[in-house]
Amino acid sequence: MTGSVSIFEVGPRDGLQPEPVFIPTEQKIKLVNLLTEAGCPKIEVTSFVHPKWVPQMADSKEVFAGIDKKPGVVYSALVPNLRGLESAIACGLDEVVTIMSTSESHNQKNLNKSRAEMLKEIEEINRTAKQHGVRVRSYIATVFGCPMEGAMAPELALDVALALESFGAYEVSLGDTTGMANPVSAYEIPKMILEKLTTANLAVHYHKFYGMEFANNYASYQAGIRTFDGAAGGLGGCPYAPGAKGNCQTEVLVEMFHRMGIDTGIDQEKINQAGAYAQTLSTLLTQCHAS
């Protein structure tokens, strides 16, 4: 195989958000800087969410202000609502990320809104972002299954993806929130949606399930996907999704593609170092929480 793929690094936000002990701001900044040095082209740095709901992201402004920003690297942040977008714009972000679920139950648990309400909110986020020259990437969670509702109809993800594209999202990422995907669904669902999108790029975002996430990424590659989400160290998991085990480990994902002869533009040794640092953070915090 030849060619290239793009890795969207979500570790500093999606990876760290469920950690039970607050991670010092300077350590979050160091992780982002290590990822930048490794050559990650796009890094999700933080989330502009009320600290009541995600305490780990309470220092979002300080983290974004403190990182070493390299020209050509896209630094983004999750914004769950218009207020979050306003904070991101005030901090000078050029790109933000939205999220909603195919599952009504997960939407209510994660965002306290229905699917229809979230679509309306995201449409307004896109409208306001466009006025400020800010690009929008959008996650769809629970595409491959919901921990509360079980299997989800693929057509739900298609409908949401088409709506997000119509709002102006430049990229839509299909999320496997608790690792319920398998290589067949990881091929068929992205392929179906990819064939229907006309302007937005399509990405995939697999969570851990004993290594199946790598088979799922490969299946999606076979379906035509060329953008893959990963978290250094394999950290993460939605705090509002029972059973979430963490994200696909970036450094292993990069090595998988490199062994296949597919370029990622990421330095293997440096991304390994970033992943090791991320795992060290998680281990120390887990020990601290246990004690």
Side-chain angles (χ1 to χ4, degrees):
M1 292 185 178
T2 58
S4 63
V5 296
S6 179
I7 306 296
F8 188 93
E9 173 59 50
V10 304
R13 194 280 302 177
D14 196 9
L16 298 182
Q17 70 175 8
E19 292 293 340
V21 179
F22 187 77
I23 299 169
T25 302
E26 60 271 18
Q27 294 181 343
K28 293 173 183 170
I29 291 171
K30 180 178 178 179
L31 176 59
V32 176
N33 289 343
L34 287 171
L35 293 166
T36 297
E37 292 170 10
C40 294
K42 295 185 176 182
I43 304 171
E44 193 174 75
V45 175
T46 187
S47 174
F48 289 92
V49 61
H50 196 289
K52 174 183 176 182
W53 305 113
V54 186
Q56 192 62 252
M57 300 288 109
D59 58 353
S60 54
K61 295 178 182 179
E62 292 79 9
V63 171
F64 187 76
I67 60 174
D68 297 330
K69 300 174 184 68
K70 181 179 178 180
V73 177
V74 176
Y75 300 96
S76 63
L78 183 74
V79 295
N81 48 40
L82 275 170
R83 183 174 296 178
L85 173 64
E86 291 166 359
S87 296
I89 291 171
C91 288
L93 273 81
D94 298 320
E95 180 176 311
V96 295
V97 183
T98 67
I99 188 167
M100 66 169 292
S101 305
T102 60
S103 159
E104 287 286 1
S105 299
H106 190 256
N107 262 312
Q108 291 289 353
K109 188 76 172 177
N110 194 35
L111 299 161
N112 201 31
K113 289 186 179 180
S114 69
R115 199 163 52 221
E117 288 171 330
M118 275 312 303
L119 281 170
K120 185 176 180 180
E121 179 95 26
I122 292 173
E123 183 176 17
E124 185 58 34
I125 287 172
N126 274 266
R127 185 180 298 115
T128 303
K130 185 177 181 180
Q131 293 170 355
H132 290 84
V134 174
R135 297 208 308 166
V136 179
R137 184 184 202 250
S138 291
Y139 289 119
I140 308 176
T142 67
V143 169
F144 301 90
C146 170
M148 290 161 274
E149 296 184 18
M152 303 300 296
E155 291 75 19
L156 286 172
L158 174 60
D159 290 344
V160 173
L162 291 173
L164 296 171
E165 180 185 58
S166 73
F167 299 159
Y170 83 89
E171 186 167 88
V172 176
S173 180
L174 306 179
D176 180 27
T177 308
T178 55
M180 297 173 71
N182 63 73
V184 174
S185 62
Y187 176 87
E188 292 181 346
I189 294 175
K191 189 174 190 298
M192 175 191 70
I193 296 174
L194 189 62
E195 289 172 350
K196 299 293 184 180
L197 295 177
T198 56
T199 59
N201 186 43
L202 192 64
V204 288
H205 181 114
Y206 293 110
H207 281 228
K208 287 181 182 177
F209 191 79
Y210 304 103
M212 196 182 297
E213 62 273 20
F214 299 107
N216 292 336
N217 275 301
Y218 178 66
S220 292
Y221 177 84
Q222 294 286 65
I225 300 300
R226 293 296 181 268
T227 303
F228 302 85
D229 295 359
L235 305 187
C238 176
Y240 299 103
K245 298 179 183 299
N247 288 283
C248 183
Q249 193 168 342
T250 302
E251 56 270 33
V252 181
L253 185 62
V254 167
E255 181 158 351
M256 182 186 82
F257 281 122
H258 287 177
R259 289 189 181 193
M260 292 163 59
I262 299 167
D263 184 38
T264 66
I266 295 174
D267 183 283
Q268 187 69 62
E269 183 177 351
K270 290 182 178 179
I271 194 64
N272 288 347
Q273 292 170 356
Y277 179 72
Q279 289 179 336
T280 299
L281 284 181
S282 180
T283 300
L284 289 174
L285 289 169
T286 300
Q287 292 172 348
C288 179
H289 184 63
S291 63

